[in-house]
Amino acid sequence: MNVIANNKWIGQRTIRPDGVDKVTGRAGYAADTTMPGMIWGKILRSPHPHARIRGINTAKAEALPGVKAVVTARDIVDFPVDKSVMLGIQDMRWMCRNVMAREKALFPGHPVAAVAATSEAIAARACELIEVDYEVLPWSIEIDDAILPDAPILHDFIKFEGKPSNIAGRMEIKKGEIAEGFKQAEVVVERSFATRPVHQGYIEPHACLVSVAADNKTTIWSSSQGQFMVRAMTAHLSGIPQSDIRAIPAEIGGGFGGKTIVYLEPLATLLAKKSGRPVKMVMTREEVMRSTGPTSGSKSTVKIGAKKDGTIVAAQGTFYLQAGGLPGSPIRGAVGCSFSPYDIPNVLSVGFDVVSNRSKVAAYRAPGAPIGAYAVECVLDELAEALKMDPLELRLKNAARQGTKAAHGPVFPRIGYVETLQAAKAHPHYTAPLGKYQGRGVASGFWFNAGGESSAQVNITEDGNVVVTTGHPDIGGSRAAIANICAELLGIDYRRVSVLIGDTATVGFSNLTGGSRVLFASAMVVTQSTEKIIATLRERAAKIWEIDPEAVKWENGAAHPASPNAGQFEPLTLAQLAEKAPQMGGPIGAGVQLNTEGAEGGFGTHICDVEVDVELGIVRVIRYTAVQDVGRAIHPSYVEGQMQGGVAQGIGWALNEEYIYNRDGKVDNPGFLDYRMPVCSDLPMLDTVMVEVPNPKHPQGVKGVGEVPLVPVMAAVANAIHNALGKRFYSLPMSPPKVLQVLEGKG
Amino acid sequence: MAKLHVSTTINGEPMEFLCEPSDTMLDALRGPLALTGSKEGCASGDCGACSITLDDRLVCSCLMLAVESEGREIRTIEGMAHGDKLHPLQQKFLEVAALQCGICTPGMLVASDALLRQNPRPSEEEVRFWLAGNLCRCTGYDKIVRAVLETAAETREQGTRESRQ
Ligand code: FES
Ligand code: FES
């Protein structure tokens, strides 16, 4: 391990390199971008939850003055359903059908055609002129309906146990002998839970601007969590080779997983190609709510058995997750993460991927894990109660440690879960007095974290400053952390390091900003690039001094003789060496591309206090403390920010957020007024405790931090409500009508 | 339909622009005026990303018609810094990391500034209720509230110091 001691910049709350642009309104987001000759694209969307598309007539739309191009599924490369083509985690069979309905419209809001015109208004009018011949089909929205034996089948190619079904997939993890395990149990708690789909809720709607030249050279500016993903998906769906596409990452106004796929870019590309004009597309909030994201709704059953002394001997989970109209719900996260914080000898965890007539789900912060943790951590709370044990004590007793074989397979290296439990227990919050109708709950959570492909280029400018280019869109402050690391290694002021996000033509392949992988991976490639540069700088100083490079050390931003017997020389600073570069071997720069490995899972333990208004059924979170093993906080403010943001989203998921459907199978609350995300006055200050157990496989000890914070929240809130009222909720959201029902004994 | 001609003042500068009668102020700012600092998150008055002031009153520019700015004074995020000197709120937002993706930030800053102008001594609760019209999905609001409270405290302190001198 090469974790630097006595850091000057790592761990400092430096000002982010992109900050001034953002606070002055100058930062360029996708919807802020324009081009000469630009026209506007709009999408016609299905009004039906489920309908066969028998034909589309676009003649009238094409004849409307101002309309420059119309595209339908015919213009998009087809990926037949019988052969899977994977691009990263996305299956192109579903991608090509999600971007534009092919055989069938699968949810209200499913695109069926797109138009480009000289104004947004004309494009919208043209959409209304497109005639679609629909054969309306019966539909189902909820899991319970979709898995009934006589449910309307969405896709004839999906078979489960040999029969046509809406269950598109099953995944299982197993450890020990589950039946034997439960035989040893003295106390068993088994409960069923339900959660609703919730939207990632980024404030910036999806947007892009695409220009396609006559020779196919294509430039895409868009809001996404990965410019390389945008390039690859657009290439596959448009038939334009990847080498002809340059995807430029605009600043991104939030994603949380919801911008790890494409919706607009392939359509804008096809419209731009057909029309010969640059095409801009921006979704409305309503389109975002109806047609993108959300994460799955779920049904689950969790059963945990323990001995009287609190030793957990067996645990079983069954998780049904909604995929939306096309397969692909995050069952891996639910099945794989739920029991991972614990050392349990016998585990069986099974997940089912269920399609129904909703928009296709997209990743949302630790996809699947919060759903699993909600059920498991509520059951643990009941178990602690049955055993008359402190809930943190129960977790401590069964906590996964170094050497524990996790339910999902790996043997844990040095992990920090126990530390989070101990820190939570020792926190004054845990023993603070509570008032009437107030309650306290705790819960823990785990996320795998990830490594993967990353590229960086580090260049020294002629005036001796540094430009770092990485390939990952910065969604929560990663540029600031990278500046800290590079300045630390070079021994210079962090303000001399500027950090840019490269486009697909200027930096090597880099995988998505997602999975809590960005700083883990980019810190590695930036570190290696910077180390190469330091080696060059030492060589150059050695040449000037006519000594051996080994006799030169790099310290405080300058080359020094490594020891008194290397000779007596005045230090050569970065600026001096940069100035001499033309005479001394030319430009100084280095690039590194890696498939990074060694990401370690992250753990968090949360304490939540609520107060229930028993008249109105309103639950208020009045105090919240999130404890997390963050590996190493390279920029503590942005680590805390990730924790606080995740908690706020979890509180929304727990208390208010849900899609409400009307009788026609359409979302009835597709706006921020009725889809109620937490606002400032809904929340208290959110306390954070960063436990730092460095990742031994990372040069700076980094572990991913972005996703863990959402995982325990729903259970922490639910457990707190139980503590306040003595009543339990088994479904989310715990919104006022539901709370009142339970208070009145009807729940 | 013929476009309408509007004369207004934006960030202290006299401005003229053409718009459709149905265009919102946000459309005008982001379109003909090329002031894209104000963002569109919802177009329905629920997210505050488009916050501006109209004659010193905080409004959602997506809920106001562009023609209503005729003869009035508009302020946007672009008018908040003085030359290369950031407004104390902007500086504080940077120092305490009160932004992550930054899409809500212009609206948050305009709204916070409007609050501090009329109430230089807000309580945490007052800040929270005032900013309840500005959604942020990234930060959990904690650092934003801190930034506003700290700026208020420092501005007061500075005011006292200056008046003592
Ligand atoms: S865009 Fe105006 S309030 Fe959301
Ligand atoms: S910083 Fe992203 S929405 Fe506020």
Side-chain angles (χ1 to χ4, degrees):
Chain A
M1 195 190 347
N2 164 22
V3 175
I4 313 162
N6 300 324
N7 297 294
K8 185 141 189 255
W9 299 113
I10 289 178
Q12 291 296 313
R13 297 172 189 263
T14 53
I15 289 181
R16 59 195 284 169
D18 53 323
V20 173
D21 260 3
K22 285 190 174 148
V23 297
T24 52
R26 242 172 275 178
Y29 294 84
D32 304 336
T33 318
T34 53
M35 246 190 129
M38 182 187 93
I39 56 174
W40 292 83
K42 272 271 158 213
I43 293 175
L44 174 69
R45 295 174 183 277
S46 163
H48 307 293
H50 197 189
R52 193 172 311 283
I53 299 172
R54 284 189 292 221
I56 302 180
N57 184 346
T58 58
K60 282 187 194 151
E62 275 158 45
L64 187 71
V67 169
K68 300 292 170 196
V70 179
V71 302
T72 65
R74 277 194 303 266
D75 301 286
I76 297 170
V77 176
D78 187 10
F79 288 83
V81 292
D82 45 16
K83 197 172 141 246
S84 166
V85 178
M86 296 304 290
L87 250 190
I89 52 165
Q90 301 290 353
D91 191 325
M92 293 312 293
R93 290 179 293 175
W94 319 141
M95 243 330 161
C96 82
R97 284 168 177 76
N98 196 45
V99 158
M100 189 76 89
R102 293 197 84 82
E103 306 81 7
K104 277 172 159 191
L106 295 163
F107 59 91
H110 201 164
V112 289
V115 177
T118 48
S119 79
E120 242 182 319
I122 295 173
R125 217 170 310 141
C127 283
E128 289 166 18
L129 295 175
I130 296 174
E131 294 154 352
V132 186
D133 179 10
Y134 291 110
E135 176 193 341
V136 177
L137 301 168
W139 40 268
S140 51
I141 306 282
E142 303 299 341
I143 294 173
D144 284 333
D145 303 328
I147 59 177
L148 287 175
D150 58 345
I153 296 294
L154 268 65
H155 308 284
D156 10 320
F157 52 86
I158 295 179
K159 302 260 187 322
F160 187 70
E161 290 171 349
K163 286 195 279 296
S165 170
N166 289 324
I167 298 182
R170 179 182 185 279
M171 174 188 173
E172 169 184 302
I173 61 167
K174 223 193 217 162
K175 182 184 166 192
E177 273 306 321
I178 194 71
E180 289 304 307
F182 276 113
K183 269 190 212 149
Q184 297 160 32
E186 291 165 312
V187 184
V188 175
V189 177
E190 179 172 7
R191 296 285 178 254
S192 293
F193 300 85
T195 69
R196 315 293 294 168
V198 288
H199 197 271
Q200 295 79 350
Y202 31 81
I203 307 299
E204 177 203 37
H206 299 260
C208 70
L209 169 62
V210 182
S211 149
V212 182
D215 62 355
N216 271 348
K217 292 279 184 285
T218 301
T219 313
I220 305 174
W221 291 263
S222 77
S223 173
S224 85
Q225 289 173 245
Q227 62 277 42
F228 291 90
M229 176 277 299
V230 167
R231 180 177 74 175
M233 297 275 170
T234 306
H236 274 72
L237 296 174
S238 67
I240 297 173
Q242 287 198 28
S243 55
D244 279 344
I245 301 178
R246 179 175 184 189
I248 300 177
E251 292 301 331
I252 168 169
F256 314 108
K259 290 178 184 165
T260 56
I261 66 174
V262 288
Y263 297 101
L264 300 177
E265 291 88 340
L267 304 182
T269 300
L270 292 167
L271 289 169
K273 190 167 155 56
K274 256 196 176 174
S275 65
R277 304 269 293 264
V279 173
K280 178 164 170 170
M281 293 180 91
V282 182
M283 279 195 201
T284 62
R285 178 54 48 182
E286 190 177 326
E287 288 181 289
V288 172
M289 293 302 290
R290 288 198 195 284
S291 314
T292 72
T295 191
S296 306
S298 70
K299 270 166 62 86
S300 50
T301 302
V302 164
K303 179 176 166 188
I304 302 181
K307 300 242 196 211
K308 283 213 182 88
D309 69 352
T311 310
I312 298 174
V313 289
Q316 187 169 353
T318 311
F319 306 96
Y320 285 85
L321 266 59
Q322 282 167 339
L326 293 152
S329 67
I331 42 179
R332 176 176 165 263
V335 169
C337 292
S338 309
F339 299 107
S340 299
Y342 307 104
D343 184 2
I344 309 174
N346 306 290
V347 181
L348 177 63
S349 186
V350 185
F352 297 95
D353 185 28
V354 182
V355 293
S356 67
N357 298 104
R358 295 172 168 270
S359 57
K360 182 185 187 324
V361 300
Y364 181 24
R365 242 179 166 147
I371 290 170
Y374 163 59
V376 168
E377 298 289 315
C378 285
V379 168
L380 281 180
D381 209 52
E382 283 198 55
L383 194 61
E385 209 186 346
L387 293 164
K388 301 198 172 47
M389 264 181 98
D390 173 273
L392 287 180
E393 215 35 70
L394 174 66
R395 286 172 174 82
L396 266 171
K397 191 169 176 79
N398 296 285
R401 295 172 158 79
Q402 182 166 8
T404 299
K405 183 162 168 38
H408 66 282
V411 174
F412 284 125
R414 174 85 173 87
I415 52 173
Y417 179 43
V418 167
E419 284 81 350
T420 69
L421 290 166
Q422 284 164 340
K425 233 182 137 199
H427 196 284
H429 181 173
Y430 196 54
T431 44
L434 288 165
K436 200 171 177 206
Y437 301 125
Q438 295 182 348
R440 177 166 301 140
V442 297
S444 296
F446 166 82
W447 175 246
F448 310 115
N449 289 335
E453 301 100 323
S454 190
S455 303
Q457 179 67 38
V458 180
N459 290 318
I460 306 298
T461 58
E462 296 97 292
D463 59 357
N465 292 318
V466 186
V467 180
V468 182
T469 309
T470 77
H472 308 287
D474 173 4
I475 196 160
S478 55
R479 272 177 284 218
I482 288 166
N484 282 2
I485 289 172
C486 191
E488 188 76 52
L489 295 168
L490 281 170
I492 58 173
D493 191 287
Y494 83 97
R495 292 176 205 83
R496 289 175 57 192
V497 182
S498 81
V499 185
L500 308 176
I501 315 301
D503 64 61
T504 55
T506 58
V507 69
F509 180 82
S510 300
N511 217 323
L512 291 167
T513 290
S516 293
R517 58 177 297 272
V518 163
L519 193 60
F520 172 83
S522 58
M524 276 193 183
V525 285
V526 169
T527 298
Q528 292 193 12
S529 308
T530 309
E531 281 168 352
K532 284 190 180 180
I533 283 176
I534 292 173
T536 307
L537 292 166
R538 286 172 47 219
E539 274 163 29
R540 299 222 174 153
K543 225 183 242 168
I544 294 169
W545 293 333
E546 294 175 344
I547 59 174
D548 191 74
E550 295 305 308
V552 179
K553 65 176 176 187
W554 188 261
E555 222 172 63
N556 290 326
H560 300 261
S563 66
N565 31 9
Q568 286 285 336
F569 305 101
E570 281 300 299
L572 278 167
T573 63
L574 181 58
Q576 288 166 332
L577 288 166
E579 201 188 296
K580 293 187 184 11
Q583 297 84 44
M584 299 298 304
I588 308 169
V592 168
Q593 294 84 29
L594 277 183
N595 195 1
T596 64
E597 283 174 28
E600 289 303 341
F603 295 87
T605 298
H606 292 189
I607 313 170
C608 170
D609 289 0
V610 297
E611 181 174 282
V612 184
D613 181 328
V614 291
E615 301 286 308
L616 300 172
I618 297 171
V619 176
R620 284 195 66 84
V621 174
I622 51 172
R623 185 170 181 184
Y624 205 101
T625 304
V627 186
Q628 189 174 322
D629 170 22
V630 302
R632 188 78 180 289
I634 304 298
H635 193 301
S637 299
Y638 289 107
V639 175
E640 291 163 358
Q642 290 295 322
M643 292 166 72
Q644 291 161 334
V647 168
Q649 288 182 317
I651 291 173
W653 193 342
L655 295 178
N656 276 304
E657 293 180 35
E658 69 178 310
Y659 280 67
I660 296 165
Y661 278 80
N662 62 23
R663 292 170 57 190
D664 305 328
K666 272 180 109 168
V667 179
D668 236 357
N669 59 336
F672 281 145
L673 185 61
D674 299 315
Y675 181 88
R676 185 65 168 74
M677 305 192 323
V679 303
C680 200
S681 54
D682 291 330
L683 297 177
M685 299 311 272
L686 302 169
D687 202 359
T688 53
V689 178
M690 295 179 285
V691 172
E692 294 185 279
V693 177
N695 177 356
K697 296 184 193 139
H698 191 272
Q700 286 85 26
V702 168
K703 283 177 190 164
V705 297
E707 282 159 300
V708 173
L710 177 56
V711 182
V713 188
M714 283 64 74
V717 176
N719 292 341
I721 297 177
H722 168 256
N723 187 240
L725 299 176
K727 295 187 197 272
R728 285 217 174 254
F729 290 78
Y730 294 102
S731 69
L732 301 181
M734 296 170 286
S735 54
K738 208 183 281 170
V739 172
L740 282 181
Q741 259 186 10
V742 167
L743 281 171
E744 287 159 11
K746 291 183 218 132
Chain B
M1 209 182 316
K3 290 208 174 194
L4 300 173
H5 176 268
V6 179
S7 305
T8 180
T9 303
I10 300 183
N11 300 325
E13 305 278 347
M15 295 268 182
E16 293 173 59
F17 63 90
L18 295 176
C19 68
E20 302 284 340
S22 60
D23 280 353
T24 67
M25 191 66 215
L26 183 60
D27 294 333
L29 286 171
R30 294 182 54 80
L33 291 161
L35 293 169
T36 54
S38 304
K39 305 299 176 195
E40 178 169 318
C42 68
S44 58
D46 299 309
C47 76
C50 64
S51 298
I52 59 166
T53 61
L54 171 69
D55 293 343
D56 285 336
R57 248 190 65 222
L58 182 65
V59 295
C60 292
S61 59
C62 71
L63 290 187
M64 174 193 154
L65 289 174
V67 290
E68 289 180 272
S69 69
E70 174 71 38
R72 316 277 289 270
E73 284 229 21
I74 299 276
R75 274 195 183 276
T76 70
I77 185 67
E78 285 90 351
M80 203 158 163
H82 282 287
D84 64 357
K85 201 171 162 346
L86 294 181
H87 185 282
L89 274 165
Q90 291 174 313
Q91 186 61 37
K92 186 57 77 180
F93 266 56
L94 290 180
E95 280 165 18
V96 306
L99 64 149
Q100 282 167 30
C101 78
I103 197 84
C104 70
T105 310
M108 283 285 178
L109 284 165
V110 169
S112 305
D113 185 31
L115 167 66
L116 296 189
R117 277 167 196 270
Q118 72 169 58
N119 180 2
R121 207 175 272 280
S123 65
E124 185 201 323
E125 207 185 351
E126 284 170 319
V127 173
R128 286 191 178 274
F129 277 90
W130 182 271
L131 293 181
N134 290 79
L135 285 175
C136 174
R137 191 62 157 173
C138 299
T139 62
Y141 306 105
D142 185 291
K143 291 186 191 305
I144 293 174
V145 173
R146 268 178 223 282
V148 176
L149 289 172
E150 280 179 33
T151 308
E154 282 169 24
T155 313
R156 287 199 304 267
E157 212 174 279
Q158 214 173 342
T160 329
R161 226 182 295 132
E162 273 160 21
S163 64
R164 271 205 220 105
Q165 279 164 7

